[in-house]
Each structure stands twice: as C-alpha cells, then as structure tokens.
Amino acid sequence: DSLESVIITDETCIGSVALRGFKSLKTITISGNPVYIANYSLRNCYGLKTLNLPYIGYNQNPNGDPGAQHTLGYIFGSSGDSNYMYLANQNGTNYYIPNTLSEINIGSGINKIVDYAFANLTSVNAIKIASVISEVGAHAFENCTGLTSLGYGEGTDFKKVGDYAFYNVNSITDLTMLIPSYNVSGGIKLGNYA
C-alpha cells in the first residue's frame, strides 16, 4: 500500500470500487474521456490530495450526448471511514470526501458546472477547470469554506449563475469571472444569493 500516484488512461470506464481503499494515493489522474466514472470508484482513498479528472457532472453516453448528472462526491460514495473523511451533502446525498483533498483539476470535457457539483467540499483550497464555462449550476460551490482559488478556461463567459452557487464561499482570493454587460436582449442571469 505504498502507491502514491496513479494515471488512468482508459477510454471506456472507471468501474465501481476501481481504486477502493488505496489509502496511500496522493494524486489520481484520469485522462482521456472515459464513458463514465462509477459511483464508489475512489472510495476510501484517504490520503488523496490532488484529483485530476477529464470532466465532472455528466457521464458520456456512447453517442457523446450527456447522460446522468453527478456531483463530485458520487465517485467517492456514500460510505467511508469518518476518521479520515468528512461528509459533504450534495443534492440530498451525503458523500465521504477525504480530509486531505485540497486540489481538484477538471479537464475540458464540460461547459456547465452542474447543480451541487462541488458543494460542501470544505477541505478543497483550489479548483481549476480547463473548459470554457457558460453556466454555473445552483449550489455548485456552496459552503466550500476553504476554497481560495477558482480558475476557469480562457474565454469563459458566464450566461447563468444558479441560486446559491457561491453561497458561504468567503475565502476566494483568486477568481476572475468574465461576465458580459447586461443588455436588453440578454446578458447574465444571476440566481438568488449567487
């Protein structure tokens, strides 16, 4: 149990409990564009500090259309060891997140951050998303109290920011949001407490 880093390049899927219990892993990188990353695939990865994923939110169907919507917690699962992990409620489900997880990097496989995507991830300091983002879902970063740095792909132009998207996120010191000016024909739609 001394493996500290793993890179997965499988283009088909990351199965349920694929890396279950790899307690010494500090960095996990999933590259390429797997069809899905299953529930519990990273269960009990207690020592995880950095997570690099190609996308978050939607599994890809074989035809390339978005499939089921999921939050980050989905890949960790809803059971774990509370000595090394904390509960993060995301969209009504409690997921066990490693206490040590501090950095998340998402590739260019998304254009929308889904509802509750990163909600209640209190240990995470930095989230970088390589994609150009047009929409941030409701509660997407709610209660990410440790978040100090949030980055988006160059050219990001938010059209919609959902209700409570950044609620109780008070520590960000590094954030650039490119928001178009409001005009009669459109502009950005800001939700309540966004």
Side-chain angles (χ1 to χ4, degrees):
D1 194 17
S2 61
L3 184 64
E4 291 189 7
S5 179
V6 65
I7 298 173
I8 299 171
T9 59
D10 190 339
E11 291 287 328
T12 56
C13 66
I14 310 300
S16 188
V17 300
L19 295 172
R20 177 183 176 191
F22 278 84
K23 299 170 189 162
S24 63
L25 276 176
K26 292 182 178 21
T27 303
I28 295 174
T29 300
I30 300 173
S31 62
N33 195 18
V35 174
Y36 69 87
I37 302 171
N39 193 13
Y40 289 98
S41 59
L42 305 183
R43 181 178 179 212
N44 289 337
C45 290
Y46 302 147
L48 189 61
K49 292 182 180 183
T50 303
L51 181 58
N52 304 303
L53 297 172
Y55 59 83
I56 181 176
Y58 292 101
N59 291 340
Q60 297 297 313
N61 288 328
N63 62 6
D65 294 331
Q69 179 176 322
H70 300 295
T71 64
L72 184 75
Y74 177 82
I75 62 177
F76 289 102
S78 56
S79 62
D81 188 332
S82 61
N83 292 319
Y84 304 99
M85 306 178 94
Y86 63 93
L87 282 173
N89 186 292
Q90 296 179 335
N91 204 18
T93 301
N94 287 319
Y95 296 109
Y96 279 86
I97 308 298
N99 292 332
T100 54
L101 183 62
S102 61
E103 181 181 347
I104 300 169
N105 299 295
I106 306 295
S108 58
I110 61 171
N111 63 7
K112 173 188 176 186
I113 299 170
V114 299
D115 295 351
Y116 297 91
F118 301 101
N120 298 303
L121 298 183
T122 57
S123 67
V124 176
N125 305 108
I127 298 174
K128 293 179 189 169
I129 300 168
S131 294
V132 173
I133 302 297
S134 62
E135 184 175 338
V136 178
H139 307 272
F141 297 97
E142 180 179 20
N143 293 321
C144 289
T145 54
L147 190 62
T148 59
S149 177
L150 180 58
Y152 298 99
E154 187 176 330
T156 288
D157 187 8
F158 292 108
K159 302 293 184 201
K160 180 180 177 188
V161 178
D163 292 346
Y164 296 91
F166 294 96
Y167 185 77
N168 201 26
V169 179
N170 303 317
S171 301
I172 290 182
T173 56
D174 183 15
L175 170 66
T176 302
M177 291 179 64
L178 305 171
I179 299 176
S181 300
Y182 179 79
N183 59 49
V184 178
S185 64
I188 187 169
K189 179 181 179 205
L190 289 174
N192 295 321
Y193 302 98

